C-alpha cells in the first residue's frame, strides 16, 4: 500500500531505519507483550523494506535483463539469510553482548536503505552493449 503512495527509495530507507531502531530496542529487557510488539515492528519494517527492493531493482534494470537483476537481488538476500544466523551464533558463542550483536545486525539494514536511495532507473539505452 505504501509503495503506491510514496517513492520507493526513501520509503525503503525509512523502513530499514525503523527496523534498525526496533532491532536495537529488542536488546533491552521487556515484558513478553512488549517483546512481541517490538518483534512485530521489526518484521513489519524489515520485510516491508525488503519487499520495496524488488520494484526498485526491477526499475534499475532494462526489461531485457530485469529477471537476472531480480534473481541476483533474491540470491543475495538468501545468502544473508544463511550468513546472518551463522554470524549471530558465532557472536553469541563468543559471549558478545546482546546489544552489540543487534547493533552489528543493524549495519546491513542501514547500508541497504542508504544504497536504495542511490538506485537510478534504467533507460532503454543502457541495455546496448549488455546484450550484444
Amino acid at each position: 500500500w505504501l509503495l503506491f503512495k510514496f517513492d520507493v527509495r526513501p520509503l525503503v530507507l525509512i523502513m530499514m531505519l525503523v527496523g534498525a531502531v526496533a532491532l536495537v530496542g529488542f536488546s533491552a529487557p521487556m515484558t513478553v507483550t512488549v517483546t512481541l510488539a517490538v518483534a512485530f515492528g521489526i518484521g513489519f519494517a524489515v520485510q516491508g523494506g525488503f519487499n520495496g527492493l524488488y520494484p526498485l531493482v526491477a526499475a534499475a534494470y532494462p526489461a531485457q535483463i530485469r529477471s537476472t537483476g531480480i534473481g541476483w537481488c533474491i540470491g543475495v538476500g538468501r545468502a544473508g539469510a544463511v550468513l546472518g544466523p551463522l554470524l549471530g551464533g558465532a557472536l553469541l558463542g563468543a559471549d558478545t553482548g546482546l546489544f552489540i550483536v543487534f547493533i552489528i545486525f543493524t549495519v546491513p539494514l542501514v547500508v541497504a536503505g542508504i544504497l536504495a536511495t542511490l538506485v537510478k532507473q534504467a533507460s532503454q539505452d543502457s541495455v546496448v552493449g549488455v546484450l550484444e
Side-chain angles (χ1 to χ4, degrees):
W1 177 80
L2 292 173
L3 290 175
F4 293 112
K5 302 281 185 188
F6 302 101
D7 181 21
V8 68
R9 286 174 275 278
L11 185 59
V12 168
L13 175 62
I14 291 167
M15 295 295 274
M16 293 301 192
L17 291 176
V18 167
V21 169
L23 194 59
V24 171
F26 201 64
S27 66
M30 57 187 97
T31 65
V32 172
T33 304
V34 175
T35 300
L36 293 173
V38 173
F40 175 82
I42 293 168
F44 180 83
V46 173
Q47 191 60 47
F50 285 151
N51 287 340
L53 292 176
Y54 298 127
L56 186 61
V57 169
Y61 285 92
Q64 294 88 340
I65 59 171
R66 189 164 293 149
S67 62
T68 300
I70 294 171
W72 270 99
C73 178
I74 293 169
V76 169
R78 295 296 167 238
V82 170
L83 296 175
L86 290 172
L87 176 62
L91 290 170
L92 292 173
D95 289 329
T96 306
L98 199 55
F99 178 76
I100 300 299
V101 171
F102 283 122
I103 288 288
I104 291 168
F105 281 127
T106 63
V107 172
L109 298 178
V110 174
V111 169
I114 291 169
L115 291 177
T117 65
L118 303 175
V119 173
K120 306 259 188 275
Q121 187 169 359
S123 67
Q124 194 62 19
D125 297 335
S126 64
V127 76
V128 175
V130 173
L131 296 178
E132 297 178 342

